[in-house]
Coordinates of all heavy atoms in Angstrom, one line a residue:
A242 N -15.5 -15.4 18.6 CA -15.5 -15.8 20.0 C -16.6 -15.0 20.7 O -17.1 -14.0 20.3 CB -14.2 -15.5 20.7
K243 N -17.0 -15.5 21.9 CA -17.8 -14.7 22.8 C -16.8 -13.9 23.7 O -15.7 -14.4 24.0 CB -18.6 -15.6 23.8 CG -19.7 -16.4 23.0 CD -20.8 -15.4 22.6 CE -21.9 -16.2 21.8 NZ -22.8 -15.3 21.1
L244 N -17.1 -12.7 24.0 CA -16.2 -11.9 24.8 C -16.9 -11.4 26.0 O -18.0 -11.0 26.0 CB -15.7 -10.7 24.0 CG -14.5 -9.9 24.7 CD1 -13.6 -9.3 23.6 CD2 -15.1 -8.8 25.6
A245 N -16.2 -11.7 27.2 CA -16.8 -11.2 28.5 C -15.8 -10.3 29.1 O -14.6 -10.3 28.8 CB -17.0 -12.4 29.4
V246 N -16.3 -9.4 29.9 CA -15.4 -8.4 30.6 C -15.5 -8.6 32.1 O -16.6 -8.8 32.7 CB -15.9 -7.0 30.3 CG1 -15.1 -5.9 31.0 CG2 -15.9 -6.7 28.8
T247 N -14.3 -8.6 32.8 CA -14.3 -8.6 34.2 C -13.2 -7.7 34.7 O -12.5 -7.1 34.0 CB -14.2 -10.1 34.7 OG1 -14.5 -10.1 36.1 CG2 -12.8 -10.6 34.6
Y248 N -13.1 -7.7 36.1 CA -12.1 -6.8 36.6 C -10.7 -7.3 36.5 O -10.5 -8.5 36.5 CB -12.4 -6.6 38.1 CG -13.6 -5.9 38.4 CD1 -14.7 -6.5 39.0 CD2 -13.8 -4.5 38.1 CE1 -15.9 -5.8 39.3 CE2 -15.0 -3.9 38.3 CZ -16.0 -4.5 38.9 OH -17.2 -3.8 39.2
H249 N -9.7 -6.4 36.3 CA -8.3 -6.8 36.3 C -7.9 -7.3 37.7 O -8.3 -6.7 38.7 CB -7.5 -5.6 35.9 CG -6.1 -6.0 35.5 ND1 -5.1 -6.3 36.4 CD2 -5.5 -6.0 34.3 CE1 -4.0 -6.6 35.8 NE2 -4.2 -6.4 34.5
P250 N -7.1 -8.4 37.7 CA -6.7 -8.9 39.0 C -6.0 -7.9 39.9 O -6.1 -7.9 41.1 CB -5.8 -10.1 38.7 CG -6.2 -10.5 37.3 CD -6.7 -9.3 36.6
A251 N -5.3 -7.0 39.3 CA -4.6 -6.0 40.1 C -5.6 -5.1 40.8 O -5.4 -4.6 41.9 CB -3.7 -5.1 39.2
F252 N -6.7 -4.8 40.1 CA -7.8 -4.0 40.8 C -8.4 -4.8 41.9 O -8.7 -4.3 43.0 CB -8.9 -3.7 39.7 CG -10.1 -3.1 40.3 CD1 -10.1 -1.8 40.7 CD2 -11.3 -3.8 40.5 CE1 -11.3 -1.2 41.3 CE2 -12.4 -3.3 41.1 CZ -12.4 -2.0 41.5
L253 N -8.6 -6.1 41.7 CA -9.2 -7.0 42.8 C -8.2 -7.1 44.0 O -8.7 -7.2 45.1 CB -9.4 -8.4 42.2 CG -10.5 -8.5 41.1 CD1 -10.6 -9.9 40.6 CD2 -11.8 -8.0 41.6
L254 N -6.9 -6.9 43.8 CA -6.0 -6.9 44.9 C -6.2 -5.6 45.7 O -6.1 -5.6 46.9 CB -4.6 -7.0 44.4 CG -4.1 -8.4 43.9 CD1 -2.7 -8.3 43.2 CD2 -4.2 -9.4 45.0
R255 N -6.5 -4.5 45.0 CA -6.7 -3.3 45.7 C -8.1 -3.2 46.3 O -8.3 -2.5 47.3 CB -6.6 -2.1 44.7 CG -5.2 -1.9 44.2 CD -5.0 -0.5 43.5 NE -5.9 -0.4 42.3 CZ -5.6 -0.8 41.1 NH1 -4.5 -1.3 40.9 NH2 -6.5 -0.6 40.1
D256 N -9.1 -3.9 45.7 CA -10.4 -3.8 46.2 C -11.0 -5.2 46.3 O -11.8 -5.6 45.4 CB -11.3 -2.9 45.4 CG -12.7 -2.7 46.0 OD1 -13.0 -3.3 47.0 OD2 -13.5 -1.9 45.4
P257 N -10.6 -6.0 47.2 CA -11.0 -7.5 47.3 C -12.5 -7.6 47.4 O -13.1 -8.7 47.1 CB -10.3 -8.0 48.5 CG -9.3 -7.0 48.8 CD -9.7 -5.7 48.4
R258 N -13.3 -6.6 47.8 CA -14.7 -6.7 47.8 C -15.3 -7.0 46.5 O -16.5 -7.5 46.4 CB -15.3 -5.4 48.4 CG -15.0 -5.2 49.8 CD -15.4 -3.7 50.2 NE -14.8 -2.8 49.3 CZ -15.0 -1.5 49.3 NH1 -15.9 -1.0 50.1 NH2 -14.4 -0.7 48.5
Q259 N -14.6 -6.7 45.4 CA -15.2 -6.9 44.1 C -14.9 -8.4 43.5 O -15.3 -8.7 42.4 CB -14.6 -5.9 43.1 CG -14.8 -4.5 43.5 CD -16.3 -4.2 43.6 OE1 -17.1 -4.7 42.9 NE2 -16.6 -3.3 44.6
K260 N -14.3 -9.2 44.4 CA -14.0 -10.5 43.9 C -15.3 -11.3 43.6 O -15.3 -12.1 42.7 CB -13.1 -11.3 44.9 CG -11.7 -10.9 44.9 CD -10.9 -11.8 45.9 CE -9.4 -11.5 45.9 NZ -8.7 -12.3 46.9
G261 N -16.3 -11.1 44.4 CA -17.5 -11.8 44.2 C -18.1 -11.4 42.8 O -18.7 -12.3 42.1
E262 N -18.0 -10.1 42.5 CA -18.5 -9.7 41.1 C -17.7 -10.4 40.0 O -18.3 -10.8 39.0 CB -18.4 -8.2 41.0 CG -19.4 -7.4 41.9 CD -20.8 -7.8 41.6 OE1 -21.2 -7.6 40.4 OE2 -21.6 -8.3 42.5
A263 N -16.4 -10.4 40.2 CA -15.5 -11.1 39.2 C -15.9 -12.6 39.1 O -15.9 -13.1 38.0 CB -14.1 -10.9 39.5
W264 N -16.2 -13.2 40.2 CA -16.6 -14.6 40.2 C -17.9 -14.8 39.4 O -18.0 -15.8 38.7 CB -16.7 -15.1 41.6 CG -17.0 -16.6 41.7 CD1 -18.0 -17.1 42.4 CD2 -16.3 -17.7 41.1 NE1 -18.0 -18.5 42.3 CE2 -17.0 -18.9 41.5 CE3 -15.2 -17.8 40.3 CZ2 -16.6 -20.1 41.1 CZ3 -14.8 -19.1 39.9 CH2 -15.5 -20.2 40.3

Side-chain angles (χ1 to χ4, degrees):
K243 294 291 180 191
L244 190 146
V246 178
T247 194
Y248 293 114
H249 194 287
F252 171 77
L253 295 175
L254 289 172
R255 291 195 299 274
D256 187 355
R258 292 169 304 173
Q259 302 303 325
K260 283 185 179 180
E262 290 299 302
W264 182 234

